[in-house]
Amino acid sequence: MDFGVFIPIGNNGWLISENAPQYMPSFELNKRIVQEAERQDFAFALSMIKLRGFGGKTEFWDHNLESFTLMAGLAAVTERIKLYASTAILTLPPAMAARMATTIDSIAPGRFGINIVSGWAKGEYDQMGLWPGDDYFAHRYDYATEYVQVMRELWDTGHCTFEGEYFTMKDCVLSPRPQSGIDVVCAGQSERGMRFCAENGDYNFILSPGVNDPGVYREPVEKLSAAAAETGRDVGSLPLFMAIMADTDEEAHARWQSYHDGADLGALGYMAEEGAKDTATDEGGTARKINLPEGAINFNMATLVGSPETIARQIDQVAAMPGVKGMMFTFDDFEKGVKDFGEKVRPLLG
């Protein structure tokens, strides 16, 4: 089972709380985290792309690095771990994303992949004059499909002549081509998003709310497996978790409660407002899931709270689900969390 870390490219990681650790993103911080992840035999690290934060007292995600350049730097200081950068597809043409990926592949052969971000937060793109209009919500996965088609053709052949609804390539060239395959990953949560990944991706990161309830992933994993079966492609699920660990269950739960008690209501309000603008998504879509009131302080990602023994037991339950090829983790304290996961949780796994 492959494990990965969703590195903190934005300030304060994934906890929208005044009581959570407060820190700025930096290359040095992420280098320490990813190098420790490599020492602990994590298989991959992924960085998101975020272009506008949520404000509030914690200035949540108002401070962000850029994904491709960060991963290029990390590629040069690691040896084995796979690295995924995220492309906000409204900001970066597919031919340029393909070339950037090829460049990072030359730094870390066979260790680079791209996460496709179709875009659900209008404000990120409106600020730069790049929002194509609210009808984009309804066809963003059609746009993303053409985007991936262009990249794959350039990687496979070095040439692309393409006339689609959203992109036109006139003998577009790419050389050198990547030395090995570049995986494409997605994070589609809606039925349309999962179908996009089943048709175009290699892995899909899945988000589902719940605390110490690994069973919440059974249904979305089954949905992706069914969608992949229809396409005849091998596409694996990578459930996303936040792990809050302590020596005892009681200590871990007290920390989790403290984060809830310190929720940054201003930042959460902005996030809810942005998510509500996507009226085209279904109830399973990203914009809807992350805003559910019971767990919005960590984007409603499934959360494992407890001792290493408690967390290991729940990971084993998820690992047994057909279609799960790995799991990705965030931590309240990333540096300590990655180390503790490797040294205290991994040895307990079945």
Side-chain angles (χ1 to χ4, degrees):
M1 183 63 56
D2 287 341
F3 296 108
V5 58
F6 200 5
I7 61 176
I9 194 170
N11 62 303
N12 302 349
W14 274 264
L15 279 165
I16 312 175
S17 171
E18 296 177 57
N19 293 344
Q22 307 288 301
Y23 55 89
M24 294 290 286
S26 68
F27 174 71
E28 286 300 321
L29 171 65
N30 283 281
K31 182 177 75 170
R32 292 196 302 271
I33 292 167
V34 173
Q35 287 181 333
E36 182 62 35
E38 191 168 66
R39 281 191 290 271
Q40 299 299 337
D41 204 27
F42 278 69
F44 65 91
L46 183 143
S47 63
M48 67 170 183
I49 182 69
K50 196 66 182 171
L51 306 167
R52 189 180 186 91
F54 301 160
K57 291 182 179 179
T58 63
E59 299 182 350
F60 188 76
W61 281 359
D62 287 351
H63 314 281
N64 285 275
L65 304 180
E66 191 282 320
S67 187
F68 273 81
T69 45
L70 174 63
M71 300 318 260
L74 293 174
V77 295
T78 53
E79 297 178 354
R80 302 180 311 279
I81 195 168
K82 189 152 191 174
L83 303 168
Y84 290 96
S86 296
T87 175
I89 61 178
L90 287 175
T91 68
L92 189 62
M96 284 303 301
R99 190 174 295 273
M100 292 161 69
T102 301
T103 302
I104 299 178
D105 178 71
S106 74
I107 302 170
R111 292 198 291 123
F112 185 69
I114 290 184
N115 175 42
I116 302 298
V117 178
S118 60
W120 63 269
K122 176 181 176 179
E124 294 189 64
Y125 309 99
D126 230 8
Q127 67 178 352
M128 297 182 284
L130 294 177
W131 185 247
D134 287 358
D135 59 340
Y136 176 72
F137 286 125
H139 66 250
R140 59 186 175 134
Y141 285 113
D142 299 327
Y143 185 97
T145 294
E146 290 191 9
Y147 194 101
V148 174
Q149 288 173 345
V150 170
M151 288 198 304
R152 287 199 186 278
E153 188 167 336
L154 287 168
W155 292 331
D156 291 344
T157 71
H159 295 268
C160 181
T161 295
F162 181 89
E163 288 205 22
E165 187 172 353
Y166 308 104
F167 296 101
T168 299
M169 301 288 124
K170 299 179 179 179
D171 191 29
C172 184
V173 297
L174 175 68
S175 184
R177 290 186 289 145
Q179 300 176 46
S180 49
I182 294 177
D183 286 342
V184 172
V185 300
C186 333
Q189 310 302 314
S190 65
E191 287 191 17
R192 180 64 183 94
M194 285 194 178
R195 189 168 78 250
F196 163 75
C197 195
E199 293 170 348
N200 300 281
D202 298 294
Y203 301 96
N204 192 50
F205 295 105
I206 298 178
L207 170 75
S208 197
V211 177
N212 287 351
D213 183 13
V216 298
Y217 276 122
R218 192 170 303 280
E219 182 180 354
V221 167
E222 289 174 351
K223 283 184 177 179
L224 180 65
S225 295
E230 290 182 7
T231 66
R233 301 181 68 249
D234 181 16
V235 183
S237 289
L238 298 172
L240 172 61
F241 290 96
M242 173 171 283
I244 297 175
M245 292 180 283
D247 290 337
T248 66
D249 290 348
E250 292 76 17
E251 183 183 350
H253 279 280
R255 192 185 305 165
W256 175 233
Q257 186 60 51
S258 173
Y259 298 149
H260 271 274
D261 293 344
D264 185 341
L265 299 181
L268 289 170
Y270 178 85
M271 182 176 73
E273 183 180 325
E274 281 291 282
K277 293 175 183 176
D278 183 358
T279 59
T281 190
D282 59 35
E283 292 301 317
T286 300
R288 301 288 176 87
K289 278 192 174 182
I290 67 174
N291 282 303
L292 293 172
E294 57 268 28
I297 65 154
N298 73 328
F299 298 87
N300 279 284
M301 67 179 70
T303 308
L304 304 180
V305 182
S307 65
E309 292 79 9
T310 294
I311 288 175
R313 185 170 60 252
Q314 296 182 84
I315 289 173
D316 281 339
Q317 293 178 44
V318 179
M321 296 179 186
V324 172
K325 291 196 174 180
M327 301 173 210
M328 184 164 68
F329 288 87
T330 69
F331 302 92
D332 52 340
D333 181 335
F334 271 84
E335 292 186 78
K336 185 175 188 301
V338 167
K339 190 172 189 294
D340 285 350
F341 186 94
E343 295 181 353
K344 298 179 180 180
V345 176
R346 288 288 286 268
L348 302 174
L349 297 177

